[in-house]
Amino acid sequence: MASRTRARNLTGWGALSLAAGTVLTLGAAGPPPAGTHSAPAGTVVVSLGSCPPDGRMCATPRRLAVLDGRTLTLDGPGTRTGGGPLDLALRTTGRLTDVTVSDRQGHRIAGTVSADGSHWTSTAPLAADARYALRLTVEGEGGRSPRHRARLDLRVPAAPRGERLTAELGPGDGTYGVGQPLTAELSHPVAATDPTARRTVERALHVSSEPYVEGSWYWVSPTTLHYRPRAYWPAHATVRVTSALDGVPVIGRLYGGPSEPLTLTIGDRIEAVTDVAAHTLTVLRDGQEIRSIPVTTGKEGYRTRGGVKVVLGKEATVRMRGDTIGIERGSGDFYDLKVRWATRVTWSGEYLHAAPWSLDAQGNDDVSHGCTGMSTEDAAWLFDTLREGDLVRVVNGYGEEMTPFDNGFGDWNMSWPAWRRGSAFGPAADGTGGPDGGLRPAL
């Protein structure tokens, strides 16, 4: 009963009661400035919520707790703190010097202590239907003793029933080339006008690699994100992608759901470099030339796109028709061919393939409708050598540059500063986000 008496004597509180010595059922209270509560020696008072510590408006009231050495459990509907990161505020004198929040599996939740030691804020929202152990250390003013250590068990209620936002991670488990971007297809759109929701999603999509490389997500559209390193992936790296969206509030009553993780292995660094002016394709493995191939590229009116492309897939036999790129049947440029050993680099139908009908032009002239043609022997060798994610660069040409997102993986044609601006955490994270264009146009 003494503890209950101390709690009632603290000024500025809403109604509260202490049950069975371990559970606080708390009434709503506004967020008074830190350090305004008087409390008996050895007692720490904190408030919890998701309201920003900078004084901005917040409709969800904070919850107060007295920590006097016992383990307390804070739960109930009011514990769901508005969907933002958890903010722990010290309401008695002193400063927070150490705060640890961990889930039931022992995973620590990242967070930061404010410069004045009055607040600790997690870097991400807490998941619904989860329990967390919160341990903190409070020092006296000016670093003077005594030190107080306390623990709070936090139980977060389950999310309301309804739809869940999930992320389909791509390209799928397997081995890929050094240019392979990662993708995340969201089950619900997240608009550029809601930068907070975009940061929540992006923060939950974890990418790690061995060895480590710097990288970033880019919002291609409200439902599509791409991830790439600043430079290409290191050869023989291992890349892992996971989603921590499950149970996390995203937009209003929309919560994140579970998503399948992804593991990629990166192979050798293979580059196929087409020099249009020289009519030659040079293949490099880890920077060393392994084959030079005479080729023909797009003629006037059908020039091969310049820039960096990524292998999308391979087809041993593919039917190519002129009407798929707008050439009318009956015209002199129309074609309808079955083509062997075709390596695809755009969704609209640009390939590196066997073209035995143009052997005389290969190495000398440009006669194709945009594809890179070569002998059947060379095309078969290239088909066996390249894999998805390998780099195909076109230099010294006359065609337009490969676009970043609307016709394959042209992600590497964007500078790193421009790429970073497409992240919800980038330099331009002001609500505009990245372009909301399509990823895969109709052929």
Side-chain angles (χ1 to χ4, degrees):
M1 294 298 295
S3 296
R4 187 179 301 180
T5 301
R6 287 200 305 270
R8 288 198 182 107
N9 289 337
L10 291 172
T11 60
W13 283 46
L16 57 90
S17 63
L18 184 62
T22 58
V23 179
L24 282 176
T25 304
L26 301 178
T36 60
H37 289 290
S38 61
T43 300
V44 174
V45 181
V46 296
S47 69
L48 296 93
S50 62
C51 301
D54 58 7
R56 287 178 287 159
M57 293 293 292
C58 181
T60 305
R62 304 179 70 88
R63 301 290 161 174
L64 292 168
V66 179
L67 307 180
D68 54 3
R70 294 168 302 166
T71 297
L72 304 177
T73 301
L74 183 66
D75 62 2
T79 311
R80 195 65 210 155
T81 53
L86 174 67
D87 179 62
L88 173 74
L90 183 63
R91 297 309 187 195
T92 43
T93 58
R95 56 185 294 120
L96 297 167
T97 57
D98 184 38
V99 178
T100 301
V101 180
S102 55
D103 62 19
R104 299 188 72 177
Q105 288 72 45
H107 301 139
R108 294 183 62 170
I109 308 303
T112 56
V113 177
S114 63
D116 63 1
S118 65
H119 285 267
W120 178 91
T121 306
S122 67
T123 58
L126 303 186
D129 196 21
R131 299 179 68 173
Y132 297 90
L134 188 154
R135 296 176 177 84
L136 57 91
T137 302
V138 178
E139 279 188 352
E141 290 183 331
R144 297 190 303 273
S145 57
R147 281 189 174 188
H148 301 299
R149 291 181 174 85
R151 170 178 171 134
L152 176 67
D153 283 345
L154 182 65
R155 181 185 300 125
V156 183
R161 293 183 179 181
E163 292 292 323
R164 293 287 182 264
L165 186 148
T166 59
E168 182 179 350
L169 304 174
D173 293 341
T175 301
Y176 296 86
V178 299
Q180 179 65 50
L182 307 174
T183 61
E185 295 287 346
L186 306 181
S187 60
H188 292 73
V190 181
T193 52
D194 195 339
T196 299
R198 285 199 166 189
R199 285 192 288 271
T200 297
V201 171
E202 192 173 327
R203 185 188 291 115
L205 299 176
H206 300 157
V207 179
S208 63
S209 67
E210 300 173 8
Y212 168 82
V213 292
E214 180 185 5
S216 175
W217 289 102
Y218 186 104
W219 286 83
V220 177
S221 78
T223 57
T224 301
L225 295 86
H226 284 195
Y227 184 100
R228 50 156 272 205
R230 182 169 189 164
Y232 304 127
W233 297 107
H236 315 299
T238 299
V239 181
R240 296 181 176 88
V241 193
T242 58
S243 169
L245 277 171
D246 197 10
V248 172
V250 181
I251 306 171
R253 292 178 64 85
L254 178 64
Y255 283 67
S259 301
E260 290 294 322
L262 173 68
T263 301
L264 280 67
T265 300
I266 306 301
D268 293 342
R269 177 168 173 156
I270 303 292
E271 300 173 78
V273 183
T274 300
D275 187 327
V276 174
H279 307 290
T280 300
L281 184 150
T282 302
V283 181
L284 308 172
R285 173 179 281 117
D286 297 329
Q288 300 298 313
E289 180 178 332
I290 57 174
R291 191 161 179 138
S292 181
I293 299 172
V295 296
T296 182
T297 61
K299 62 185 177 181
E300 187 174 355
Y302 303 94
R303 295 298 189 186
T304 303
R305 297 171 184 83
V308 183
K309 305 159 193 177
V310 174
V311 173
L312 302 175
K314 300 188 293 183
E315 300 167 62
T317 303
V318 61
R319 183 181 178 187
M320 295 185 178
R321 302 193 317 273
D323 50 9
T324 63
I325 61 171
I327 302 174
E328 295 184 2
R329 290 179 179 270
S331 73
D333 277 327
F334 183 79
Y335 56 89
D336 188 343
L337 300 166
K338 286 187 177 180
V339 175
R340 298 297 310 280
W341 310 123
T343 299
R344 188 170 197 151
V345 292
T346 73
W347 296 125
S348 61
E350 183 182 326
Y351 290 84
L352 291 71
H353 63 79
W357 55 86
S358 64
L359 285 175
D360 290 344
Q362 292 165 21
N364 300 295
D365 201 3
D366 297 319
V367 298
S368 83
H369 292 86
C371 291
T372 300
M374 63 201 75
S375 71
T376 300
E377 178 186 355
D378 286 332
W381 178 87
L382 189 65
F383 186 94
D384 289 339
T385 301
L386 295 180
R387 60 163 53 97
E388 286 185 49
D390 281 338
L391 301 168
V392 176
R393 292 195 289 125
V394 177
V395 301
N396 298 327
Y398 319 105
E400 297 180 357
E401 287 294 303
M402 177 73 174
T403 50
F405 305 114
D406 61 355
N407 198 13
F409 292 133
D411 304 44
W412 301 103
N413 296 292
M414 185 178 290
S415 70
W416 181 245
W419 184 271
R420 289 286 295 119
R421 287 194 290 272
S423 164
F425 295 97
D430 54 3
T432 58
D436 284 346
L439 171 65
R440 185 171 180 173
L443 300 183

